[in-house]
């Protein structure tokens, strides 16, 4: 009962912050709302038994990625976005296409999981750092190493793209 | 469980809405992050459903790829702004003509 209450509270916060991300005019406001979405999703991960993932969500997303976003917003001095010249396709087909997408997702959800179980807090405890680490360094060792190469390439690409031209 | 998957679907659709309707390139990028987060939520929900830790591993990899993508994408945004001095995605249309 209590976990349903927590789910309702943080799901509401997440949806409101997500809507706020889209409707805010200023990028800084959008970024702060996105931090709210990520924090409430971290609480939902805790309710689902993913302790390691919840902490990684806070540290990596709300900590690192959003700080990077806010640095870039301040560096570029991004102001309020000007609204003009919307493409007519987005204006006409945008809202119906979105409602259709939501309908398709809801239909698949109802069809595939007609009697979905109720999730109770504490009935899955396999998401601790120990379990995740064991799986990561035994079964998923090769993807882990490939990911480290990917990060190295991404760092090099970011440095090459953002450096000043030397001439 | 269907509550969690429904929340994931709603967050994903909100992300798609921002991706379609917004014109600021940084906000569009943040909406992509929102969509990735929605998918992560469904991964963790399925990990709980199947009582396996693999969903958490997938979420971990999605986070890593999202961090790398954010670094490269923001570097691209910096370069575009340096050359064009605009953040409006409608004015970056060199490939169009």
């Amino acid at each position: 009962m209590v976990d349903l209450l927590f789910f309702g509270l943080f799901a509401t916060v997440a949806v409101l912050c997500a809507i706020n991300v889209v409707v805010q005019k200023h990028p800084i406001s959008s970024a702060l709302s996105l931090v709210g979405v990520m924090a409430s999703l971290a609480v939902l991960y805790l309710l689902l038994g993913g302790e390691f993932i919840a902490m990684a969500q806070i540290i990596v997303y709300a900590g690192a990625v959003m700080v990077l976003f806010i640095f870039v917003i301040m560096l570029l001095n991004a102001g309020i976005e000007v609204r003009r010249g919307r493409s007519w396709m987005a204006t006409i087909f945008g809202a119906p296409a979105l409602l259709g997408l939501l309908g398709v997702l809801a239909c698949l959800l109802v069809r595939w999981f007609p009697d979905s179980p109720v999730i109770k807090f504490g009935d899955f405890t396999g998401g601790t750092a120990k379990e995740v680490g064991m799986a990561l360094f035994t079964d998923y060792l090769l993807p882990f190493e490939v990911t480290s190469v990917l990060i190295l390439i991404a760092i090099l690409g970011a440095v090459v793209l953002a450096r000043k031209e030397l001439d | 469980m269907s509550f969690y998957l429904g929340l994931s679907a709603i967050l994903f659709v909100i992300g798609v809405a921002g991706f379609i309707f917004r014109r600021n390139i940084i906000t569009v990028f943040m909406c992509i992050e929102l969509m990735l987060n929605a998918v992560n939520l469904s991964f963790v929900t399925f990990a709980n459903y199947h009582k396996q830790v693999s969903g958490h591993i997938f979420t971990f990899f999605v986070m890593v790829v999202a961090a790398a993508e954010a670094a490269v994408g923001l570097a691209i945004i910096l370069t575009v702004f340096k050359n064009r001095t605009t953040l409006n995605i409608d004015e970056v249309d060199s490939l169009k003509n």
Side-chain angles (χ1 to χ4, degrees), chain A residues 84-142:
Chain A
R84 60 184 159 77
R86 307 264 299 273
S87 83
W88 58 273
M89 284 208 25
T91 313
I92 295 173
F93 296 116
L98 287 175
L99 286 179
L101 179 62
L102 189 59
V104 167
L105 286 176
C107 177
L108 290 178
L109 196 63
V110 171
R111 174 164 300 182
W112 284 344
F113 304 102
D115 48 349
S116 63
V118 177
I119 288 175
K120 289 198 294 295
F121 176 65
D123 58 356
F124 175 63
T125 54
T128 59
K130 183 185 172 190
E131 306 283 337
V132 174
M134 284 294 283
L136 199 59
F137 289 112
T138 54
D139 295 340
Y140 296 93
L141 185 60
L142 182 65

Side-chain angles (χ1 to χ4, degrees), chain A residues 61, chain B residues 12 31-41 62 66 69:
Chain A
Y61 265 126
Chain B
F12 189 86
C31 291
I32 297 175
E33 297 288 329
L34 185 59
M35 285 191 269
L36 286 170
N37 268 288
V39 175
N40 276 349
L41 179 61
V62 170
E69 173 231 340

Side-chain angles (χ1 to χ4, degrees), chain A residues 4 7 11 14-15 18-19 21-22 24-25 27 30-31 34 37-38 41 44-45 47-50 52-53 56-57 61 65 68-69 72-73 75-76 78 81-87 90 94-95 98 101-102 105 109 113 116-117 119 123-124 126-127 132 135-136 140 143-144 147 150-151 154 158 161-163, chain B residues 1-7 9-18 20-24 26-27 29-31 33-34 36-38 40-41 44-54 56-72 74-79 81-82 87-88 90-91:
Chain A
L4 196 64
F7 171 78
V15 170
I19 292 173
V21 170
V22 177
Q24 282 289 339
K25 292 271 189 293
S30 297
L34 194 53
V37 176
M38 284 161 180
L41 281 185
L44 295 181
Y45 293 165
L47 287 178
L48 288 167
F52 176 76
I53 290 300
Q57 169 93 359
Y61 265 126
V65 173
L68 197 61
F69 268 98
V72 170
I73 292 170
L75 187 64
L76 298 185
E81 102 179 48
V82 283
R83 294 209 161 261
R84 60 184 159 77
R86 307 264 299 273
S87 83
L98 287 175
L101 179 62
L102 189 59
L105 286 176
L109 196 63
F113 304 102
S116 63
I119 288 175
D123 58 356
F124 175 63
V132 174
L136 199 59
Y140 296 93
F144 182 75
T147 306
L150 172 76
I151 289 186
L161 278 171
R163 73 172 175 192
Chain B
M1 178 184 151
S2 55
F3 289 162
Y4 284 92
L5 293 178
L7 174 66
I10 290 171
L11 288 180
F12 189 86
V13 170
I14 292 174
V16 176
I20 292 176
F21 290 120
R22 293 306 298 265
R23 284 291 163 262
N24 190 321
I26 297 177
T27 314
F29 216 68
M30 283 193 275
C31 291
E33 297 288 329
L34 185 59
L36 286 170
N37 268 288
N40 276 349
L41 179 61
V44 176
T45 309
F46 282 120
N48 187 299
Y49 177 63
H50 293 289
K51 302 282 181 286
Q52 283 181 354
V53 80
S54 309
H56 294 177
I57 306 287
F58 273 102
T59 308
F60 181 73
F61 283 130
V62 170
M63 276 183 192
V64 171
V65 172
E69 173 231 340
V72 175
L74 289 171
I76 291 174
I77 291 175
L78 278 177
T79 315
F81 187 77
K82 212 158 51 183
L87 285 176
N88 193 323
D90 283 336
E91 296 174 17

